[in-house]
Amino acid sequence: IDSAGADLTLAAVTANGFALTLDGGPTGVIDLASLSAAGTTGALQVTDSQTTTLGSAGVVNATTVTLLDTTNTGTNGITFANDTTIDSLVTGGLPFNLAFTGTTNTIGGDTTLGNTGRFTVNSTTTTFTGGLDTRNAAGGTFLSGTLATAGAGQMDLGATTLNGTTTLNSGTGAINVASVAGAAQTLNLQ
């Protein structure tokens, strides 16, 4: 769906195995209330937007999610605002911000973020099952809640700021953090 630069607001979408591509252009605000499936989940791609909110009123369930660009490099960017379950996450190498703010989020595969803006997790639990690498996020990594990987999934975080009590749980994998700020907050390593 290409809105040619206009705002793009979608209510609950049921994928049924089909892919959904959203393009708001550099000036369009994208708001997707929820994405679910009555059978097989489908892929989701955000090509461009001014800002994007995914799951503003419900869950987001998808196979591959590809995030290519959003123009806003301020606090906003692309936000998963509700519980999210996706099999694979791919982000383009542009300076947009990415946030997960739903209560429980699960992202499959070994995820290396390509976007160079901020990466924020403000959730009870967000799990990147195969591993997570945020070192490309030159805008920093901002955490509150539990950030986890499963099994031997390694966690490689760039410069990290604690926005609240934070637990890093990598199962049997290594945890590597470039630096940590937010001394007033508690950091637990598991």
Side-chain angles (χ1 to χ4, degrees), residues 75-176:
T75 337
N76 298 318
I78 299 175
T79 300
F80 289 88
N82 221 307
D83 292 0
T84 298
T85 302
I86 54 181
D87 295 340
S88 175
L89 175 65
V90 178
T91 63
L94 294 169
F96 63 87
N97 299 327
L98 175 62
F100 287 88
T101 60
T103 303
T104 304
N105 308 292
T106 303
I107 298 88
D110 188 0
T111 304
T112 298
L113 299 180
N115 58 301
T116 58
R118 296 168 59 124
F119 174 64
T120 301
V121 172
N122 185 10
S123 304
T124 302
T125 303
T126 297
T127 303
F128 287 82
T129 60
L132 173 64
D133 187 340
T134 71
R135 292 174 292 180
N136 289 327
T141 298
F142 297 83
L143 303 176
S144 180
T146 297
L147 180 64
T149 57
Q154 184 165 310
M155 190 180 302
D156 294 306
L157 306 180
T160 299
T161 300
L162 305 179
N163 285 341
T165 298
T166 300
T167 299
L168 302 179
N169 182 344
S170 67
T172 60
I175 299 174
N176 301 301

